[in-house]
Amino acid sequence: MYAVGIPHPGGPEVLRLVELPTPEPGPREIRIRTTAAAVNPTDTAFRQWGPRESEGLPAPWVPGMEMAGVVDAVGPDSAWAVGERVMAIVMPRRALGGAQAEYVVVPDNAAAAIPDGISDVEASTLPMNGLTVYSALLHLGLTAGQTLGVTGAAGAVGGYAIELGRIAGLRVVADAFAQDAELVRGLGADVVVPASRDVAEEVAAFRAAVPDGVDGLIDAAVLDAGALPMVRDGGALTTVRFWAGPTERDIRVHPVMVRDHLTDGAEIAKLAQLVLDGRLTLRVADTYPAAEAAAAHRRLQAGGTRGRLVLTFGKDPR
């Protein structure tokens, strides 16, 4: 099979299509013939740094944490059937590699059916990003009527945070640059505050809107410690790049670890139902053939992408 490979850490130019053995599913596993795989910041970081030496993973490494496709083979005792359309979350830091491959093997419970009305490209943007926000809200532990803050609100994670926050009955205060204000408001933010590349200005904007600070904050802009002043005393902050403190003013800090949710296919299915109900929006910024993964990485790293870039897989392009 072919896959997007990282032969060694580096810039986008190191990415290339590589030939790897086609994996076989084991008990309660399925093999998916990939049609689409989203490109996320985790992929650009994996490409830049590679796996940790302690992980013992030989190159080439295959990136990708979320994908969609068709069940191609099933292992013993699998609950799935060949031919079913599925989306799944995948951990690339494993011997089999990640989602950006022609065929991907995952456990049964890492996948969810793709409902009619959702394309494979759209579905590929839901598993990891959706579960990131699901996990963040779970750990914030807010109740209906409380205030949720969202930084990086125009991005993929930020957009899901706004919509899932509203579904949870929360008052959502989200940031946006001028060109994104209408988008963020359209996603359902109750209050839109000016985003700024100056953290002090961003903090001031949130505090002007919520003088005592928000009850909980999803920091999709990766401000880390810089986001703490936006949160009230005793509130909570969830981060998406492993930052865990030190904290202040009794604020709970929880780094979201999507690897803790690699078998939450049932939650992915619930998120898909929200999409069908018109309550959650799947946003695809653009698609690239898998052979053009480097171009997708360059565009993502340039910033300003609204929605997810998606690699498409089809006939072997080699």
Side-chain angles (χ1 to χ4, degrees):
M1 71 170 187
Y2 74 94
V4 176
I6 305 170
H8 55 80
E13 70 281 354
V14 305
L15 295 171
R16 63 200 63 213
L17 290 185
V18 297
E19 185 172 337
L20 297 172
T22 301
E24 296 295 332
R28 293 179 295 281
E29 290 183 335
I30 56 174
R31 185 174 69 199
I32 303 168
R33 177 175 54 78
T34 307
T35 53
V39 179
N40 287 279
T42 55
D43 303 325
T44 61
F46 193 37
R47 186 208 71 232
Q48 286 176 295
W49 306 108
R52 291 179 285 274
E53 187 174 339
S54 62
E55 292 172 317
L57 298 175
W61 309 300
V62 178
M65 288 195 70
E66 54 185 352
M67 45 91 70
V70 179
V71 176
D72 166 79
V74 298
D77 302 318
S78 174
W80 295 95
V82 170
E84 291 187 275
R85 294 173 63 229
V86 294
M87 51 188 149
I89 184 166
V90 187
M91 173 52 72
R93 295 174 182 271
R94 62 173 191 164
L96 290 176
Q100 294 171 18
E102 187 178 9
Y103 295 96
V104 177
V105 166
V106 299
D108 271 15
N109 53 9
I114 301 175
D116 292 340
I118 299 176
S119 72
D120 288 9
V121 167
E122 290 171 326
S124 73
T125 70
L126 182 60
M128 189 194 79
N129 289 285
L131 286 176
T132 295
V133 177
Y134 161 78
S135 179
L137 290 171
L138 189 68
H139 287 285
L140 287 177
L142 303 181
T143 57
Q146 289 190 289
T147 299
L148 170 69
V150 181
T151 66
V157 170
Y160 287 154
I162 293 170
E163 293 185 312
L164 291 175
R166 286 295 303 274
I167 289 168
L170 305 175
R171 175 176 179 254
V172 179
V173 178
D175 68 353
F177 291 102
Q179 64 270 27
D180 296 320
E182 184 176 350
L183 166 66
V184 170
R185 196 171 290 110
L187 288 169
D190 295 284
V191 179
V192 179
V193 302
S196 175
R197 291 182 174 82
D198 182 299
V199 177
E201 291 182 358
E202 179 102 356
V203 168
F206 268 87
R207 281 290 184 160
V210 190
D212 293 332
V214 298
D215 297 301
L217 182 76
I218 295 178
D219 179 28
V222 198
L223 302 178
D224 294 338
L228 287 169
M230 302 174 186
V231 183
R232 67 167 173 81
D233 296 0
L237 167 66
T238 53
T239 64
V240 296
R241 298 282 181 85
F242 310 112
W243 187 81
T247 188
E248 62 185 43
R249 296 179 290 112
D250 297 321
I251 296 171
R252 290 183 294 108
V253 176
H254 179 82
V256 175
M257 307 285 190
V258 181
R259 62 176 179 239
D260 295 337
H261 299 275
L262 295 176
T263 56
D264 273 355
E267 290 301 331
I268 298 173
K270 292 177 184 177
L271 293 170
Q273 185 59 51
L274 292 174
V275 174
L276 290 183
D277 294 342
R279 305 178 74 190
L280 193 63
T281 306
L282 303 178
R283 291 184 291 148
V284 176
D286 207 348
T287 61
Y288 292 80
E292 297 177 18
H297 277 231
R298 290 189 188 95
R299 182 166 168 187
L300 180 60
Q301 286 193 258
T305 303
R306 298 296 174 249
R308 277 287 170 248
L309 301 173
V310 176
L311 300 182
T312 55
F313 292 74
K315 183 179 178 181
D316 190 337
R318 292 168 299 171

